[in-house]
């Protein structure tokens, strides 16, 4: 939604805020907004952390082909050999 706002639009919003609130109130409003966002993020982190404890991550790397036994490949080769016609 806010992806289409360019520099000129942000500048216009800033000028309107400056006219409405005055130069003395803008820093206070910015600090209050920053503090509110920080508290909201911290509360969301706390809420997400208490619902489901995170288990440590496990290594899910698949084994290399040299480590895996390949019984199917051996069986397929023998089946194909038995089906071949004699020369």
């Amino acid at each position: 939604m806010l992806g289409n706002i360019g520099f000129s639009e942000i500048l216009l919003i800033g000028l309107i805020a400056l006219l409405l609130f005055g130069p003395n109130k803008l820093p206070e409003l910015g600090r209050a907004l920053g503090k509110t966002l920080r508290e909201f993020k911290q509360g969301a982190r706390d809420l997400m952390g208490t619902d489901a404890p995170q288990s440590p991550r496990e290594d899910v790397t698949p084994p290399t082909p040299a480590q895996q036994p390949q019984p199917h490949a051996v069986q397929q080769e023998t089946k194909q050999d038995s089906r071949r016609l004699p020369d």
Side-chain angles (χ1 to χ4, degrees):
M1 183 173 123
L2 297 177
N4 296 333
I5 294 179
F7 178 73
S8 60
E9 287 87 4
I10 292 174
L11 184 63
L12 182 64
I13 291 170
L15 287 174
I16 291 172
L18 184 63
L19 289 173
L20 288 176
F21 299 110
N24 294 334
K25 275 287 196 193
L26 281 181
E28 293 174 24
L29 289 173
R31 277 191 289 275
L33 180 64
K35 186 177 178 182
T36 303
L37 286 175
R38 225 171 321 155
E39 289 176 1
F40 178 76
K41 285 182 181 180
Q42 184 62 37
R45 281 189 206 120
D46 291 344
L47 182 65
M48 296 299 288
T50 57
D51 284 347
Q54 294 181 353
S55 62
R57 295 186 65 163
E58 296 179 16
D59 185 22
V60 292
T61 307
T64 60
Q67 294 174 345
Q68 285 183 331
Q70 304 223 346
H72 300 292
V74 175
Q75 290 176 356
Q76 288 176 353
E77 288 177 11
T78 57
K79 287 181 182 177
Q80 289 176 353
D81 289 341
S82 64
R83 289 190 219 165
R84 293 184 66 186
L85 294 174
D87 290 326

